[in-house]
């Protein structure tokens, strides 16, 4: 942490500990990282959209890596921040979101969109920290839940994707009627899932961004497969190297 602050002033490197087994000892619990250059690059060159996701760590201590990824002006992924935490829960996500909100200076959250795949504790934490942001769910994950609930088959899959890709209300209504013709209960499954979270026809026009998948996080996760097997210190270095490479690529493109 000291070396990072020395080489990257104004970066956010936040460590949280808990009481250890011996009196007076502290035990590692969480570590959050967001580099100053990344913060500045995101604020001046990226859309007001953040994809968030988590991935399990495969080292001996276990845990979960939380990530936040944006999109730059070339529609390339722009990793913003990540944190190693003890588990996937509301407390960890809330801690991560509060630090991210402070780093990105998000005051008017209604101008932002958060893309996620409904992980455990994420929805509640996101709603608490970003109550007015547009919450969008990756349709691939939505379809998986749809299928798990018993609504399987190619016809229903096509009907769902047709509804998500609709761009005007009349078209959306028509596509949902087509789904009801296949299985009326399938449309009722969406009663507690506002279309603004998964269909283009109800997306806010402020963001000018209508992608339906959380692929930006998936791309980043694939880049750090080897890092997830390492001990905490080594593991935290590898995403940092990738983020530095992305920043250099962006600078080269700008030139």
């Amino acid at each position: 942490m000291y070396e990072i602050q020395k080489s990257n002033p104004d970066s956010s490197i936040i460590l949280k500990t808990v009481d250890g087994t011996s009196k007076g000892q502290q035990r590692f619990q969480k570590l959050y990282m967001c580099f100053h250059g990344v913060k500045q690059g995101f604020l001046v060159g990226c859309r007001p959209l953040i994809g968030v996701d988590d991935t399990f760590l495969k080292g001996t201590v276990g845990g979960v890596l939380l990530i936040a990824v944006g999109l730059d002006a070339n529609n390339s992924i722009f990793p913003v921040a990540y944190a190693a935490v003890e588990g996937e829960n509301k407390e960890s996500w809330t801690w991560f979101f509060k630090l991210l909100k402070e780093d990105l200076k998000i005051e008017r959250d209604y101008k932002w969109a958060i893309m996620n795949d409904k992980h455990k504790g994420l929805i509640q934490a996101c709603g608490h920290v970003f109550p007015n942001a547009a919450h969008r769910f990756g349709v691939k994950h939505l379809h998986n839940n749809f299928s798990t609930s018993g609504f399987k088959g190619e016809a229903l899959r096509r009907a769902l994707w047709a509804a998500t890709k609709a761009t005007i209300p009349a078209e959306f209504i028509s596509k949902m009627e087509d789904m009801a013709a296949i299985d009326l209960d399938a449309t009722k499954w969406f009663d507690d899932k506002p279309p603004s979270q998964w269909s283009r026809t109800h997306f806010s026009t402020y963001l000018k961004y209508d992608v339906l998948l959380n692929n930006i996080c998936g791309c980043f996760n694939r880049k750090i497969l080897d890092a997830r097997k390492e001990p905490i210190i080594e593991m935290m270095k590898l995403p940092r190297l990738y983020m530095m490479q992305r920043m250099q690529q962006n600078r080269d493109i700008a030139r």
Side-chain angles (χ1 to χ4, degrees):
M1 291 172 62
Y2 172 76
E3 291 298 328
I4 290 173
Q5 287 288 9
K6 185 170 69 172
S7 60
N8 296 266
D10 298 321
S11 295
S12 298
I13 315 293
I14 312 298
L15 174 68
K16 185 176 180 181
T17 60
V18 294
D19 292 337
T21 54
S22 301
K23 187 176 181 180
Q25 273 192 339
Q26 291 292 300
R27 180 167 55 86
F28 172 87
Q29 187 186 41
K30 298 180 176 76
L31 179 62
Y32 168 92
M33 300 179 71
C34 183
F35 292 90
H36 177 67
V38 172
K39 286 187 277 188
Q40 296 302 109
F42 181 85
L43 291 172
V44 301
C46 292
R47 304 170 188 268
L49 175 134
I50 305 169
V52 293
D53 197 5
D54 61 42
T55 183
F56 288 102
L57 301 179
K58 299 182 178 180
T60 56
V61 298
V64 173
L65 188 73
L66 310 182
I67 63 171
V69 183
L71 276 176
D72 64 18
N74 298 302
N75 274 338
S76 298
I77 66 171
F78 193 97
V80 181
Y82 53 95
V85 301
E86 75 284 7
E88 179 188 15
N89 52 55
K90 180 182 177 181
E91 180 189 359
S92 294
W93 275 114
T94 300
W95 179 78
F96 180 73
F97 281 140
K98 285 182 177 179
L99 293 173
L100 184 67
K101 184 176 184 179
E102 182 178 347
D103 274 333
L104 300 184
K105 300 178 176 60
I106 299 177
E107 296 178 355
R108 300 174 181 176
D109 61 347
Y110 62 86
K111 293 185 176 181
W112 290 73
I114 312 293
M115 172 73 81
N116 66 81
D117 286 336
K118 284 193 171 183
H119 289 287
K120 186 177 179 181
L122 192 157
I123 303 301
Q124 299 90 331
C126 190
H128 175 69
V129 181
F130 301 106
N132 302 305
H135 301 281
R136 298 184 182 177
F137 301 136
V139 178
K140 183 177 180 181
H141 183 78
L142 186 72
H143 173 257
N144 288 340
N145 291 341
F146 183 62
S147 180
T148 302
S149 298
F151 304 107
K152 302 179 180 180
E154 183 64 15
L156 283 175
R157 188 190 72 83
R158 289 178 179 274
L160 169 58
W161 276 100
T164 63
K165 294 178 180 179
T167 55
I168 58 175
E171 182 185 4
F172 175 77
I173 293 171
S174 174
K175 299 305 179 183
M176 292 302 288
E177 289 175 347
D178 291 343
M179 184 187 296
I182 301 170
D183 189 335
L184 181 60
D185 289 335
T187 58
K188 294 179 180 178
W189 187 81
F190 292 93
D191 286 349
D192 61 346
K193 300 168 182 64
S196 59
Q197 298 174 345
W198 55 273
S199 176
R200 284 175 176 165
T201 188
H202 288 76
F203 284 172
S204 166
T205 57
Y206 179 84
L207 294 170
K208 309 295 188 293
Y209 181 76
D210 62 359
V211 171
L212 300 168
L213 300 171
N214 195 17
N215 285 346
I216 54 178
C217 289
C219 290
F220 182 70
N221 282 335
R222 284 192 290 273
K223 287 288 186 179
I224 60 169
L225 288 176
D226 293 337
R228 293 164 55 192
K229 304 174 185 176
E230 301 291 336
I232 290 293
I233 292 178
E234 292 301 315
M235 185 271 293
M236 296 299 272
K237 288 180 181 178
L238 293 177
R240 172 181 178 268
L241 292 175
Y242 177 64
M243 292 170 76
M244 296 302 106
Q245 291 172 0
R246 288 292 307 131
M247 290 177 63
Q248 184 60 49
Q249 291 171 5
N250 289 337
R251 284 194 289 266
D252 292 343
I253 290 172
R255 293 194 190 101

